[in-house]
Structure formats: structure tokens, C-alpha cells
Amino acid sequence: MTAERSQLYYTCVFLHVSFQAIQRSVADSAQKDDTPCWLDATLLRMLSGELQRCRLEAAPFTEVGEALDTAIYHCGLLMAQCPAAVNRRLCQHHLEAIMSPLKLASDRLAGNAGRATAGPTTPGQWLRSWLGW
């Protein structure tokens, strides 16, 4: 693995773990599902910036670009609704929609083609996945 690829891999892993920690913290909150989540917009903005930087650095690695674009898209959707304008269930959905492509990008960068599945294959599957069904 080249130095650039290795650095990009570890950045994707860092982002995945960071969003995973946020998801666990939101899930462990004592509030009910219909209450707005507590997610800190400043933290989300910092991670979004890191995700954008990661995407720029991934330009030479075409196999991870689409996955990072998907993560950026969902991060933008979540940021547009935060703080406290989204219920916990939808927040959890957006966080999962960010983490899944980050995991895919990490797997592809690591050369784990067997584990790096592309996700839903038909438009219907993709839509159901995106909606959290």
C-alpha cells in the first residue's frame, strides 16, 4: 500500500469510528425516539470538513470516490437538520448512511474486495436503504 493510500485508509477509518462513536452516544441517550437528538453541530461540522478533505485526497483512487461522495451527501443532509431539528431515529439513519460508505471506502483502500460490497443493487433496494426501510 502506498503512503497516500495508507493515509487515506486511516483517515477513512478515523471518520468511520468517529461517526460510530456519535451514533452510539445518540443511541445511549436516555431520551425517547421522538425527541430531538443532542448532536453537536460544531463536531459534525469538523467531521464534515475532514470528510471533504478526505474526498479531495481520494481523487486518484476512483474506487473510493463514489463511496465518499455518498458519505458527504448524507453528512450534508444531517448537518442541514442539526442541531435538534431531527429526531433520534432519523439522526441514527443519517449516521448509518454516513458510516456505511466510509466502511466501503476503507475496505476498498485496504484491498478487501470481497468485503467491499457496493450495497443495494436495484433502484428500489437503494431507495429502501436510503429511507431506512
Side-chain angles (χ1 to χ4, degrees), residues 15-89:
L15 287 166
H16 181 267
V17 169
S18 297
F19 281 108
Q20 191 174 45
I22 292 170
Q23 185 185 41
R24 283 188 183 137
S25 186
V26 169
D28 291 344
S29 174
Q31 297 177 344
K32 296 180 181 177
D33 279 341
D34 60 344
T35 59
C37 78
W38 59 266
L39 190 57
D40 179 11
T42 304
L43 174 62
L44 190 57
R45 204 172 11 256
M46 186 271 305
L47 289 173
S48 177
E50 189 66 18
L51 188 54
Q52 294 281 345
R53 185 185 65 75
C54 181
R55 176 58 179 106
L56 289 174
E57 291 175 1
F61 306 102
T62 57
E63 72 274 16
V64 299
E66 186 178 330
L68 292 175
D69 287 340
T70 301
I72 289 169
Y73 173 76
H74 282 283
C75 189
L77 286 176
L78 182 57
M79 285 180 59
Q81 299 173 36
C82 280
V86 61
N87 67 32
R88 286 183 18 179
R89 185 173 176 266

